Amino acid sequence: MSVKKTLGKSFVLILIILILVAAGLLWFNFLGIIRLNSVFAPVYKLIGKEPQTSVTVTQSKPLAVNIDEDRLKKIQESLDIQTEELEKRESDITAKENLLAQTAAELDEREKNQEEREKTFNLTQKKYEDINVNIEQIANNLNGMRPEAAVNILLAMNDQLVIDVLRKVEELAAQNNTASMGSYWLSLMPSERAAEIQRKMVSKPETLE
């Protein structure tokens, strides 16, 4: 009789434990902690409940989002640095272009000035050549005149032109190995004018101006 009682108590105890375990599993499954929906589905239907189907919230998605944000941030920083470098290069190129343009303008200005100087020099040289040709022509004409006529023409000239003509006469005489008429012409001039011309010929260098 005692054995039956012991077995009965043991059976009741085991049954209570099984009920508690089943109830715990049922509750954990309802909360979504464990997944036994297929096992407890008839029970949920019987009591009119739906088990928790949402997955326990984890940090996987937030971490993924944070990683993507960090990547985007680094990419943006890299793009900003590249943009700054490009802007700096563009600024340097612009400065070099401005310097080259300024240098080119200066060279153009120097070239224009050089051309102007050459033009002025050529004009001056031509003027000198023309004057020299004219003086030589006057000297030749005077050499072919009577001394008195030649002196009258010389007296109508200014002192500088008289000096230039007399020097040309002397030059032509030296080239032709003939006597110069310059001294004789001066002797026929009024003494004061002749003295002034001789003084200028001594004090002034040979020039046409």
Side-chain angles (χ1 to χ4, degrees), residues 47 80 108 151:
I47 63 178
D80 291 340
D108 290 341
V151 170

Side-chain angles (χ1 to χ4, degrees), residues 48-107:
K49 296 289 185 179
E50 291 292 335
Q52 183 71 28
T53 57
S54 62
V55 180
T56 303
V57 178
T58 63
Q59 293 295 325
S60 60
K61 289 185 178 180
L63 286 176
V65 172
N66 291 335
I67 292 174
D68 291 339
E69 289 180 353
D70 290 339
R71 289 178 180 174
L72 290 174
K73 185 177 180 180
K74 290 180 179 179
I75 292 173
Q76 185 64 42
E77 291 176 353
S78 177
L79 291 174
D80 291 340
I81 292 174
Q82 292 179 2
T83 301
E84 291 178 358
E85 291 179 352
L86 290 174
E87 290 178 351
K88 186 177 183 300
R89 290 180 182 177
E90 184 178 359
S91 177
D92 293 341
I93 291 173
T94 301
K96 290 180 180 179
E97 289 178 348
N98 292 334
L99 180 59
L100 289 175
Q102 181 179 357
T103 303
E106 292 177 354
L107 291 175

